[in-house]
Amino acid sequence: MEELTRKQIKGSGIAVRGNEIDTDRIIPARFLKCVAFDGLGESVFYDERYDAAGAQKPHPFNDSRFAGATFLVVNKNFGCGSSREHAPQAIMRWGIRAIVGESFAEIFAGNCQMLGVPAVCLGAVEIKDLMQAIEKDPQLEIELDMEARAVRYGDREVVFELDEGVRTSLVEGKWDSTALLMANEGAVREKAQSIPYLNAFQNA
Amino acid sequence: MGLNLFNKLWDLHTVKTLESGQDQLFVGLHLIHEVTSPQAFQMIRERGLKVAFPERTFATADHIVPTESQARPFQDPLAEEMMVAIEKNTQEFGIQFFGLDSRDQGIVHVVGPEQGLTQPGMTIACGDSHTSTHGAFGTIAFGIGTSQVRDVLATQTIALSRPKVRRIEIDGALQPGVTAKDIALHIIAELGVKGGIGHAYEYAGSAIEALSMEERMTLCNMSIEGGARVGYVNPDQKTFDYLEGRPYTPKGEAFDRALRYWQSIASDVDAPYDDVVRIEAEIIEPMVTWGINPGQAIGVGRALPSLDSLMEEDRESAQLAFEYMGLGERQPIKGVRIDVAFVGSCTNGRISDLRAAAAVAKGHRVASHVRALIVPGSKRVRDQAVEEGLDQIFREAGFEWRDAGCSMCLAMNPDQLVGREVCASSSNRNFIGRQGSPTGRTLLMSPPMVVAAAIAGEVSDIREFQTAGTGA
Ligand code: SF4
């Protein structure tokens, strides 16, 4: 059963190295020809994992040592490019529950948030260390503590910063914003009355 | 102290500050297309919700649409399924759809402005990162993911944190042969592909004021490639002139009232910014990308950088780019052989782009080894080009003339690269695999530069090209 809050996430990790890994690399556009997100997990990083003949290429996501990983660890500006939610969907549906990286593209981070997948930033040195630790010991247990704002593994603890609103909504299980926004329906209708272009500019 | 346009509009559209600290922002115009909307409609259905303001959402089909024959059913059953889905969804929820049978269909970011749907002072959202295009009119326009599309459908609002605002001031005159596309690539090369994260870009200065509306759209379109979700230009007389008389532009007295609102939302002269960057227009050259992100770009007369001249954090990506592109350190970009040429996309698929392309193509022939496509951004652009005889010029020069769609900008329709083909492209992304072949290679440049490359069969300097053409 899907847990309803993201106070704490535990599990092993998988590292995908490289800056500027864009959404076309995460999920090539041809896999967007679908009317549902189901099944996208299998196609994550497809062109990086398979050659033209469908044979496997060396890639962490093809490496059985990392199968079942909970954390994806990445470098800078991960998820740059398109707004396709298919990218975090594919990662999530493969089994990832949280992403830890040096930095994320803005729309990608927002999409992760909407799915309840924490996208947490650590410094370059800390990411390098975490990646090395995972590669040395693929079974290494990593813990993301959203209340203490800390990532722990082995005998290390790294504290991170995260927008308070983002953090609270994950901790309290309120990342699905539709209900929160709908609760203000009256205020939305009222706002609409005061926006000039919705009222033939009568109130401009 | 005054306010900048961004903060004026943000304040005007804020319904509430949520408990999380994010603002609930009213979305004045919601645009949708077939790729990122079906799952959102499905979620609306599953939760038994309604579309709150169906009259504020407009739909078109662009990504999966074939540009050679648009006869239904499409040959690709998956594409057909997506087409059926958007037809059904828009019908069921009462949303205006510019479908293939309408003469208004086209790329969502071309259609919005040409219909007059995009107007100054709006907040605009679309499940597409190039929504920043609409900022050319003085709007807050941004791309969203599918779950946010669901939020906008259900509530006409979205939860967002207010970004910072950076003013990019470009003064002076552009050199001959330099276009809005080159300004965009220059900015990204300067500030980096992640330079704009957390920021909205306000483009200002005499060089920006001198741009036409379509050129401003090209510039704002590429904001996202520099990491900025939003890019905008303050509205001025050109903006108003562009809009007057379009289908959804207010008419008569309403237009006069609209003008007052539109003028009122421009940034005040004493408005503060979080950051200001100044660039001299004279130093911008016709640009070409050599790598696998839009920041890996140089002036066409220059050579690729050497690894040790780059900042350390950029070396790894450059190394990967050299290998992938088959290009080396210090190699001149001019003269790189191309296989395919593509003019189109929401960046450069408007009528002014086609005119500029045709002006270069006229009287020349596409090199025999090059496959060259001209794809209008919308059916209206197509019809206008035909009326002006541009399609004839292109055909005579050996270009294929196509129907409206995203085409070779991304790999969701039949127009794709094959194998390791190199494509001179007027689109916006040179990512690995972007144009449909997992090993295909993309060189981004302006439409005139694409045409020059198509004719020469290799990357060429438009400034020399024109001299040769007129001097003969
Ligand atoms: S033309 Fe390209 S960038 Fe623009 S909307 Fe279509 S696919 Fe996206």
Side-chain angles (χ1 to χ4, degrees):
Chain A
M1 217 189 83
E2 189 70 24
E3 66 276 41
L4 290 171
T5 66
R6 298 284 186 267
K7 289 195 176 83
Q8 211 176 39
I9 297 174
K10 278 187 190 177
S12 60
I14 181 170
V16 173
R17 290 172 184 273
N19 295 331
E20 268 86 52
I21 294 188
D22 59 74
T23 49
D24 280 87
R25 278 162 73 183
I26 298 171
I27 184 85
R30 61 184 184 279
F31 296 110
L32 273 51
K33 269 193 249 162
C34 56
V35 292
F37 289 127
D38 320 328
L40 281 179
E42 293 158 32
S43 314
V44 70
F45 293 114
Y46 192 91
D47 290 337
E48 316 243 299
R49 290 167 64 195
Y50 301 96
D51 67 17
Q56 286 200 355
K57 297 198 271 192
H59 189 276
F61 275 73
N62 285 340
D63 187 333
S64 60
R65 292 178 302 150
F66 304 114
T70 300
F71 290 91
L72 171 62
V73 185
V74 298
N75 294 111
K76 286 201 181 82
N77 202 21
F78 186 78
C80 58
S82 91
S83 64
R84 64 185 70 158
E85 190 176 301
H86 307 67
Q89 287 273 2
I91 291 170
M92 181 180 81
R93 283 163 197 273
W94 186 86
I96 296 297
R97 290 289 166 266
I99 313 180
V100 182
E102 286 181 58
S103 62
F104 299 95
E106 203 168 314
I107 303 181
F108 179 85
N111 283 339
C112 288
Q113 166 72 4
M114 293 296 286
L115 301 178
V117 175
V120 167
C121 297
L122 303 185
V125 178
E126 285 77 22
I127 289 291
K128 198 171 167 194
D129 188 82
L130 179 55
M131 285 181 161
Q132 280 169 353
I134 291 169
E135 282 157 5
K136 212 170 118 205
D137 175 12
Q139 292 312 311
L140 176 75
E141 180 163 275
I142 304 165
E143 180 188 340
L144 173 65
D145 183 338
M146 293 291 285
E147 287 181 309
R149 294 188 191 79
V151 175
R152 300 190 193 98
Y153 58 96
D155 56 3
R156 296 211 49 170
E157 175 176 281
V158 190
V159 179
F160 58 83
E161 285 176 31
L162 186 63
D163 177 271
E164 189 48 28
V166 169
R167 194 189 70 93
T168 330
S169 68
L170 289 166
V171 168
E172 294 178 3
K174 289 185 184 158
W175 60 83
D176 186 329
S177 42
T178 312
L180 294 176
L181 297 173
M182 283 184 76
N184 299 331
E185 201 192 334
V188 173
R189 296 271 162 197
E190 208 173 297
K191 175 51 80 179
Q193 301 291 319
S194 72
I195 293 180
Y197 56 87
L198 299 180
N199 298 282
F201 301 94
Q202 297 290 3
N203 51 0
Chain B
M1 200 169 355
L3 284 171
N4 59 47
L5 176 143
F6 188 89
N7 287 321
K8 285 187 197 182
L9 294 187
W10 190 279
D11 292 342
L12 174 65
H13 291 83
T14 298
V15 176
K16 263 192 173 172
T17 299
L18 301 166
E19 224 180 292
S20 65
Q22 291 188 309
D23 287 331
Q24 180 170 2
L25 206 64
F26 191 93
V27 175
L29 175 66
H30 184 210
L31 301 169
I32 58 175
H33 61 69
E34 75 283 14
V35 180
T36 54
S37 67
Q39 298 88 349
F41 281 109
Q42 195 48 34
M43 293 188 253
I44 293 281
R45 251 184 230 113
E46 280 164 10
R47 297 180 185 199
L49 303 175
K50 286 208 227 12
V51 175
F53 291 76
E55 72 284 3
R56 298 309 304 162
T57 295
F58 294 83
T60 186
D62 46 16
H63 288 63
I64 55 151
V65 171
T67 61
E68 210 161 11
S69 157
Q70 300 191 335
R72 299 284 298 279
F74 294 155
Q75 278 184 358
D76 177 349
L78 293 174
E80 178 62 23
E81 191 186 348
M82 298 187 82
M83 201 62 198
V84 170
I86 194 159
E87 286 165 344
K88 179 165 162 278
N89 290 330
T90 49
Q91 203 178 12
E92 180 180 336
F93 292 99
I95 291 165
Q96 168 75 43
F97 177 48
F98 302 115
L100 286 181
D101 49 3
S102 135
R103 64 173 284 255
D104 296 321
Q105 174 265 339
I107 305 173
V108 63
H109 311 306
V110 177
V111 169
E114 77 185 2
Q115 290 293 326
L117 285 166
T118 302
Q119 295 169 18
M122 285 182 169
T123 44
I124 303 180
C126 173
D128 195 284
S129 60
H130 292 100
T131 308
S132 58
T133 311
H134 307 262
F137 291 79
T139 69
I140 298 182
F142 49 86
I144 55 180
T146 296
S147 295
Q148 292 170 318
V149 173
R150 172 194 70 207
D151 282 358
V152 178
L153 289 173
T155 71
Q156 204 62 30
T157 65
I158 184 173
L160 273 186
S161 302
R162 189 191 295 240
K164 294 180 179 158
V165 184
R166 171 178 298 146
R167 182 172 157 101
I168 301 182
E169 238 173 66
I170 309 184
D171 283 305
L174 294 173
Q175 299 281 348
V178 176
T179 68
K181 178 64 157 288
D182 303 302
I183 303 178
L185 288 170
H186 179 94
I187 292 172
I188 302 164
E190 284 290 305
L191 304 182
V193 286
K194 48 189 176 292
I197 293 181
H199 286 82
Y201 281 171
E202 172 175 306
Y203 301 104
S206 59
I208 303 301
E209 285 158 22
L211 296 177
S212 71
M213 285 314 294
E214 298 198 348
E215 291 170 316
R216 293 177 192 180
M217 287 186 242
T218 300
L219 175 62
C220 290
N221 172 279
M222 300 270 303
S223 304
I224 186 66
E225 309 310 333
R229 198 173 188 176
V230 170
Y232 69 89
V233 177
N234 280 298
D236 60 12
Q237 195 56 43
K238 277 187 196 165
T239 320
F240 313 143
D241 291 345
Y242 176 96
L243 283 170
E244 197 167 0
R246 295 195 178 258
Y248 288 85
T249 305
K251 308 277 177 323
E253 278 177 32
F255 184 78
D256 298 335
R257 290 196 300 271
L259 266 181
R260 255 172 280 149
Y261 170 61
W262 295 345
Q263 283 159 344
S264 75
I265 51 104
S267 295
D268 299 322
V269 277
D270 56 346
Y273 296 87
D274 296 286
D275 185 12
V276 179
V277 173
R278 292 197 174 79
I279 295 172
E280 288 167 51
E282 287 79 11
I283 65 167
I284 304 174
E285 299 173 77
M287 301 288 287
V288 183
T289 63
W290 52 264
I292 52 172
N293 72 54
Q296 290 171 329
I298 47 175
V300 63
R302 296 176 188 270
L304 271 63
S306 61
L307 281 179
D308 54 19
S309 71
L310 294 170
M311 293 206 299
E312 192 176 341
E313 63 167 52
D314 295 330
R315 280 183 207 152
E316 191 196 286
S317 169
Q319 179 67 47
L320 179 61
F322 289 149
E323 284 163 25
Y324 183 81
M325 298 299 290
L327 299 172
E329 297 181 77
R330 300 185 196 87
Q331 180 179 340
I333 192 73
K334 208 170 87 178
V336 170
R337 188 181 154 99
I338 66 152
D339 308 293
V340 179
F342 167 59
V343 174
S345 87
C346 61
T347 311
N348 281 126
R350 296 186 180 77
I351 189 67
S352 59
D353 298 309
L354 300 195
R355 286 179 189 141
V360 182
K362 194 168 183 164
H364 289 284
R365 280 296 299 176
V366 169
S368 58
H369 69 274
V370 172
R371 172 163 66 110
L373 266 67
I374 308 278
V375 186
S378 71
K379 289 221 190 326
R380 282 187 174 235
V381 171
R382 177 200 65 186
D383 294 347
Q384 177 70 31
V386 169
E387 205 181 298
E388 295 177 20
L390 305 184
D391 59 325
Q392 252 342 89
I393 296 175
F394 290 128
R395 281 206 193 89
E396 276 162 22
F399 290 87
E400 294 177 41
W401 172 250
R402 296 294 187 86
D403 211 331
C406 294
S407 183
M408 209 179 257
C409 179
L410 101 170
M412 288 197 71
N413 58 69
D415 303 339
Q416 305 198 2
L417 296 185
V418 180
R420 295 193 77 220
E421 278 180 338
V422 175
C423 180
S425 178
S426 75
S427 57
N428 43 53
R429 288 190 173 138
N430 52 346
F431 297 157
I432 290 175
R434 170 74 181 182
Q435 293 191 286
S437 162
T439 50
R441 296 171 283 175
T442 305
L443 306 172
L444 301 176
M445 56 190 88
S446 70
M449 287 274 290
V450 171
V451 173
I455 290 160
E458 58 185 38
V459 176
S460 308
D461 189 333
I462 187 69
R463 295 167 296 191
E464 294 162 12
F465 190 88
Q466 277 172 331
T467 323
T470 49

